[in-house]
Amino acid sequence: MSSDGHLAGLFAQLCVLEQELDEPDFDDDSEMFSQAAHTSCLSQDQEDHEEPQEDANGSQEGESPHRNRTKSYRDYHNSRGPGSLAAAVRLVLHYMRSKKVDLPLLLWAISYNLLELINDELVKFERSAFLASLEFLCLLRTWHTPPRGHSRGIRSKGARAALDTFAFERILTVARKEMAAVGTYMRTQPDELSSDALLSIRISDMKQDVQARAPTLWRLLRECSWTPRQQKENKLKDPDATILYMISMSSFLRSNRNNALQRLMAVYLKSCGTSAKAFDTLSSVGLSMSQVWVYGALERLSKSERESLWEDLQVFPWFGSHDNVNFRFRVFEQRSDHQSHFDSGTAGTIFIIKDPAAVLPSAALLRAHRLSDRSRSLITGTEVLALEARSAPRLATCAIDMILQTLLDSVPFDRGTYEHAADDLLKPAPCPGRLRVGAQSNVRQYILDTVHIEEASYDGNMRVMNEWLRQLRLDTLEEQKRTGMERVIPWVGDQLTTSRLRGLLHFRRDDYNSFERLDWLIPTFGWFHLLFAFEHSLHSQYYGTRTGLGLVHAFDILGRKGLHTTSTQGTFHHTFEEALEHTFRAHIRALWCFVGGVEKLEDLRTRTPKELLALATQIYEGHASTFALTRLETTLAGMPQKLLDPLHRQIIQFLRDTLDYIVLRRAVSHGDVGTMQDMLPRLIFRFSGGSNSNYTIEVCELMQNLQYDWTEDLKNHIRTYCWLTNTGGHEDSYIPVDQAEEYNVCDVKYTFAAIIWKNPPSQLAVIKSTNH
């Protein structure tokens, strides 16, 4: 057949095909074309952007005429059988070949490369139909990985190389743009370093911000770090923090000014005591700033914090605390003037009260009160007994609640599945004297420059106080006058510090003016060291011997070592506190089974909350109170010695005293200053009976002040702000002020040990530290 005949036959087949496509069941092509042409002419901007538009959520707008036509054509060929579309394609390809046009040339021509076709209405419509089609993404996947040929068993190469190259180029382009946006977000200036700037950084907010600026890069790294199986099954790990640091490290390597996260991490790592070698290693891989930067940063932070301290002193109420700090200096080449030795100094902290509800104690009212007859009264033993009698019902409620919570928190009882778990009777007892929790009630700490002055003597404490006033810029004549006439400054310390300061008040009571007499100084002991003394008293009373009675038998069963002698250093406090609580809980659980008449704690789940509360009350009154002990001694009075049960008596007494300790410890951690004050009479009884004269005097002095020597505003101020401080912002994260001071001493001794020394190790001159 000649070529002319072939072309004539091809044209005839195309005409037949067009007639079939123009059947009444389908929209007229010309009408559809006119509608698309009308839509494309709305504006010049729309003509330049013919690709499908997306809404704010990333989804394409409603069905376009292009997709409707493609769908109608597909439905038509499907209705005519499997060979209809294949035959039509062959005819079109033959026609293209007759016109010297192949598929690459056709796609190249309609893809914005021929000027005469860019604005051609027919070409624009067909181009949009192709680019907006649902088949386009499927085509790309098929071109990249064509199906395997069944006859040969070999997969065609397709367009894999070209598509891979294009995709890689696009990913690089997008990654560069997104990393530039992240770099702008992470960029900092050296003069922007401050504690407020560091504390304002929130990792959760940073995750969202970085993900918004680099969505493609974030998704790519998440796919690399998180498998589909992990996404379904892993409930513990979260890849977002890792991805954030990957992007942050990359941004830091592009520019060392993009260091918002690295600066925060460097300060955190330094606060954990990270070594200089570790800093240099982490800095080389982009995880943190270098050790040299940390040195300069802490110096700048120290200066800025000192400026903030001076400003806050003029605005907010404040109080102070200090404690001794001991350093061990080791030498490896001994000489007569170069030996290993210990040296002592003093570390101090100023606590700024930024609570808007805080009321500054009035110095004028305090002076007037000291001149009144009431301040000359002394608290008597009868008054102490009366105070204990008034506080006993409140402390009994706390003790019963502790016994009840011991059962509810046990694993066998399984509070979470208990039928009446939400009953009000099972909730912790209300604490009227509890402190408020919130950001406004927090107290800010400023660490002063550590000084080479011992504070064990009266003269040392006087020199230390003068040094603190100098650092606070309160040593001028005008400030001394204001301090003596207008200021009331509470000062918290351990028993030794408080007794020395109180001795200074006694020694200087006849000086010429109120500043020299230290009328402005209000020393008060810290409850952290009082808890130490309470523990040591319990240890002395109940540890016992292996041949007799005592806690030593329980500690041997539990395998607790190092508890035979008391200590204020090392892990004794934590180990003894934990062992004491475990022993107490074991006794209480046994009493629940005994009093409840059951063999296992699980059997108590059938009891109602009212019945459980009654059983807790019965346990307290019959087995863990002074009433139970008195009743036992009355019952056994006059009985033969061989019938007496000393173990029973000791267990009752142990549970009673340990309950007081656990209730006090819980009151401290939950900010219940009312319960802490209620416990003061019993603390006097314990320390005086245990021959601890130092804390007997301290507790008596505090009760004297609360009853007679302090004004109401001063008493409320001391109870609310100077006993406890909340560093975590939670209901159970209160710690005594002297414990916060111990944490600061630890930082001075160890965390900043590598950068604090300004003189040779043989001297302790000045140690500079930053805000903790």
Side-chain angles (χ1 to χ4, degrees):
M1 180 183 295
S2 64
S3 59
D4 293 337
H6 176 73
L7 290 176
L10 182 59
F11 282 129
Q13 293 294 332
L14 288 174
C15 291
V16 172
L17 181 62
E18 288 183 353
Q19 292 176 0
E20 293 174 347
L21 294 176
D22 290 336
E23 289 179 354
D25 293 340
F26 302 92
D27 294 335
D28 189 357
D29 194 305
S30 60
E31 293 180 0
M32 191 177 299
F33 171 79
S34 300
Q35 181 182 358
H38 174 72
T39 303
S40 64
C41 294
L42 290 176
S43 65
Q44 184 64 34
D45 293 338
Q46 291 176 339
E47 291 178 0
D48 295 338
H49 303 282
E50 296 167 0
E51 291 73 11
Q53 301 298 316
E54 296 184 351
D55 59 18
N57 297 324
S59 60
Q60 293 184 349
E61 295 176 353
E63 288 293 334
S64 65
H66 318 92
R67 291 185 177 180
N68 290 333
R69 191 191 64 170
T70 302
K71 182 178 182 299
S72 66
Y73 285 176
R74 181 182 292 276
D75 293 342
Y76 167 76
H77 287 292
N78 290 337
S79 66
R80 293 180 60 85
S84 175
L85 182 59
V89 171
R90 291 191 188 96
L91 287 175
V92 172
L93 293 177
H94 281 298
Y95 182 74
M96 290 171 55
R97 184 173 295 180
S98 67
K99 293 298 184 180
K100 306 299 182 183
V101 177
D102 58 5
L103 193 57
L105 192 58
L106 175 65
L107 294 176
W108 178 86
I110 67 175
S111 299
Y112 309 99
N113 289 304
L114 289 180
L115 294 178
E116 55 268 36
L117 295 182
I118 291 179
N119 293 320
D120 185 273
E121 297 297 337
L122 177 60
V123 174
K124 288 169 60 177
F125 186 84
E126 296 300 333
R127 182 169 56 220
S128 296
F130 177 66
L131 296 178
S133 66
L134 298 175
E135 292 79 6
F136 184 66
L137 184 58
C138 181
L139 288 175
L140 292 177
R141 295 193 182 103
T142 305
W143 291 346
H144 182 272
T145 309
R148 189 181 302 277
H150 296 291
S151 59
R152 296 172 295 150
I154 301 175
R155 187 185 299 277
S156 302
K157 291 183 178 180
R160 175 178 298 181
L163 288 176
D164 284 347
T165 302
F166 171 76
F168 185 69
E169 291 175 352
R170 289 303 306 161
I171 290 176
L172 290 181
T173 302
V174 172
R176 292 189 188 100
K177 292 181 179 179
E178 293 183 349
M179 287 303 299
V182 172
T184 303
Y185 174 73
M186 293 287 187
R187 184 171 294 272
T188 62
Q189 299 297 330
D191 56 355
E192 295 177 355
L193 182 63
S194 66
S195 61
D196 292 335
L198 293 175
L199 294 174
S200 65
I201 297 177
R202 296 290 183 270
I203 299 298
S204 58
D205 296 341
M206 187 173 285
K207 291 178 184 177
Q208 298 177 0
D209 295 340
V210 173
Q211 186 174 1
R213 287 167 172 78
T216 303
L217 189 58
W218 189 280
R219 181 179 177 184
L220 178 63
L221 293 176
R222 186 178 179 88
E223 291 295 328
C224 295
S225 309
W226 199 242
T227 65
R229 180 180 177 183
Q230 285 178 304
Q231 191 170 2
K232 293 180 180 179
E233 300 178 1
N234 201 321
K235 305 300 182 182
L236 299 177
K237 293 182 179 178
D238 181 10
D240 289 347
T242 304
I243 296 170
L244 173 64
Y245 232 102
M246 289 180 184
I247 298 176
S248 176
M249 290 166 61
S250 301
S251 181
F252 179 68
L253 293 177
R254 292 166 69 95
S255 173
N256 59 7
R257 291 289 181 89
N258 304 340
N259 57 16
L261 193 55
Q262 281 73 16
R263 296 199 307 176
L264 180 65
M265 185 58 65
V267 175
Y268 168 73
L269 291 175
K270 189 57 192 176
S271 68
C272 297
T274 305
S275 64
K277 290 291 185 181
F279 263 112
D280 293 338
T281 302
L282 295 175
S283 177
S284 65
V285 297
L287 278 168
S288 171
M289 305 299 288
S290 66
Q291 178 77 347
V292 174
W293 182 92
V294 172
Y295 288 164
L298 292 180
E299 188 70 24
R300 292 195 298 273
L301 283 174
S302 178
K303 292 180 179 178
S304 66
E305 288 303 300
R306 187 54 52 87
E307 295 291 339
S308 299
L309 169 60
W310 293 329
E311 294 174 1
D312 289 346
L313 288 178
Q314 308 303 321
V315 180
F316 302 103
W318 57 277
F319 65 96
S321 175
H322 67 249
D323 200 0
N324 66 300
V325 52
N326 297 319
F327 290 91
R328 180 185 181 187
F329 299 102
R330 299 177 60 190
V331 299
F332 300 95
E333 295 182 359
Q334 297 186 21
R335 300 291 186 271
S336 59
D337 59 346
H338 190 56
Q339 299 287 330
S340 298
H341 66 283
F342 277 93
D343 211 339
S344 298
T346 305
T349 304
I350 298 299
F351 297 82
I352 302 295
I353 306 169
K354 294 193 174 183
D355 185 359
V359 177
L360 187 67
S362 171
L365 289 178
L366 182 60
R367 282 196 302 272
H369 180 78
R370 286 172 173 172
L371 296 175
S372 65
D373 294 336
R374 181 173 177 80
S375 65
R376 296 184 177 89
S377 302
L378 297 178
I379 192 169
T380 64
T382 303
E383 289 179 292
V384 174
L385 291 173
L387 290 172
E388 199 281 331
R390 286 199 295 267
S391 63
R394 295 189 294 269
L395 295 177
T397 301
C398 295
I400 293 172
D401 180 68
M402 184 64 63
I403 294 173
L404 181 60
Q405 297 303 321
T406 300
L407 171 67
L408 298 178
D409 294 339
S410 64
V411 175
F413 187 82
D414 194 6
R415 181 177 189 169
T417 60
Y418 178 53
E419 180 182 1
H420 308 286
D423 194 283
D424 291 340
L425 292 176
L426 302 183
K427 294 181 180 179
C431 303
R434 198 166 182 174
L435 299 177
R436 294 184 298 111
V437 179
Q440 292 183 335
S441 62
N442 290 344
V443 176
R444 185 168 184 177
Q445 303 179 36
Y446 291 95
I447 301 180
L448 300 173
D449 293 345
T450 302
V451 293
H452 188 197
I453 304 174
E454 54 82 24
E455 57 104 29
S457 64
Y458 292 107
D459 178 66
N461 273 275
M462 193 65 252
R463 292 169 57 201
V464 165
M465 294 304 301
N466 290 333
E467 172 62 22
W468 298 151
L469 294 177
R470 185 194 65 80
Q471 293 188 25
L472 298 176
R473 293 182 176 178
L474 301 179
D475 58 334
T476 63
L477 185 60
E478 182 64 26
E479 290 295 337
Q480 288 181 4
K481 182 178 179 180
R482 287 191 57 193
T483 299
M485 298 298 296
E486 303 175 10
R487 293 189 175 106
V488 176
I489 305 177
W491 208 267
V492 184
D494 56 16
Q495 186 276 327
L496 178 63
T497 300
T498 308
S499 64
R500 293 293 184 266
L501 293 179
R502 191 182 302 110
L504 289 175
L505 295 177
H506 175 72
F507 296 148
R508 305 186 64 167
R509 66 183 184 275
D510 295 328
D511 283 4
Y512 292 109
N513 56 64
S514 57
F515 177 80
E516 297 294 339
R517 289 193 301 269
L518 304 179
D519 290 346
W520 46 272
L521 186 63
I522 310 295
T524 180
F525 68 84
W527 289 81
F528 179 59
H529 290 84
L530 181 138
L531 286 173
F532 270 17
F534 203 153
E535 292 172 5
H536 294 175
S537 177
L538 292 174
H539 182 280
S540 175
Q541 184 176 0
Y542 294 111
Y543 185 77
T545 62
R546 288 181 172 84
T547 59
L549 304 175
L551 291 173
V552 62
H553 299 288
F555 294 166
D556 288 342
I557 294 174
L558 295 174
R560 306 301 168 86
K561 308 297 182 182
L563 297 177
H564 57 284
T565 57
T566 59
S567 174
T568 57
Q569 299 178 349
T571 61
F572 175 83
H573 165 67
H574 172 75
T575 305
F576 182 73
E577 179 184 59
E578 192 178 56
L580 195 65
E581 182 169 353
H582 290 174
T583 305
F584 168 79
R585 289 183 179 275
H587 280 293
I588 295 298
R589 290 188 183 188
L591 286 172
W592 272 107
C593 294
F594 173 74
V595 176
V598 297
E599 295 183 358
K600 299 180 296 183
L601 294 179
E602 296 94 314
D603 299 335
L604 293 171
R605 290 169 54 86
T606 60
R607 306 295 180 87
T608 65
K610 187 176 182 180
E611 291 174 338
L612 292 179
L613 183 59
L615 289 176
T617 305
Q618 185 177 348
I619 291 174
Y620 173 72
E621 293 179 350
H623 303 275
S625 63
T626 301
F627 175 77
L629 190 63
T630 303
R631 185 175 60 182
L632 177 65
E633 292 178 347
T634 303
T635 304
L636 299 180
M639 295 182 63
Q641 185 69 27
K642 62 180 181 180
L643 297 179
L644 299 180
D645 185 1
L647 180 60
H648 187 197
R649 183 184 185 281
Q650 186 181 32
I651 289 176
I652 294 177
Q653 189 172 352
F654 167 76
L655 292 178
R656 180 199 63 178
D657 295 343
T658 307
L659 256 178
D660 286 345
Y661 169 76
I662 293 178
V663 167
L664 178 60
R665 194 185 65 184
R666 186 179 186 277
V668 168
S669 63
H670 287 73
D672 187 4
V673 295
T675 300
M676 293 168 63
Q677 183 171 346
D678 287 341
M679 194 65 70
L680 290 175
R682 296 189 181 182
L683 291 174
I684 290 181
F685 302 155
R686 165 151 295 278
F687 292 136
S688 61
S691 301
N692 189 335
S693 58
N694 290 331
Y695 269 99
T696 300
I697 294 174
E698 292 300 329
V699 178
C700 287
E701 286 285 350
L702 179 58
M703 292 194 68
Q704 170 69 25
N705 292 329
L706 292 173
Q707 288 297 115
Y708 295 111
D709 291 354
W710 289 345
T711 57
E712 288 297 324
D713 60 343
L714 180 57
K715 287 189 288 186
N716 293 331
H717 185 81
I718 294 291
R719 280 195 301 254
T720 306
Y721 302 105
C722 302
W723 283 0
L724 304 173
T725 181
N726 195 323
T727 58
H730 306 291
E731 292 183 353
D732 59 346
S733 60
Y734 284 92
I735 60 173
V737 169
D738 54 329
Q739 185 175 356
E741 178 62 27
E742 292 289 350
Y743 289 157
N744 296 339
V745 169
C746 178
D747 285 341
V748 170
K749 290 178 63 175
Y750 302 109
T751 304
F752 303 101
I755 61 175
I756 56 179
W757 299 106
K758 303 300 180 183
N759 291 320
S762 59
Q763 301 180 9
L764 186 60
V766 176
I767 306 171
K768 291 188 177 181
S769 179
T770 185
N771 178 41
H772 179 64

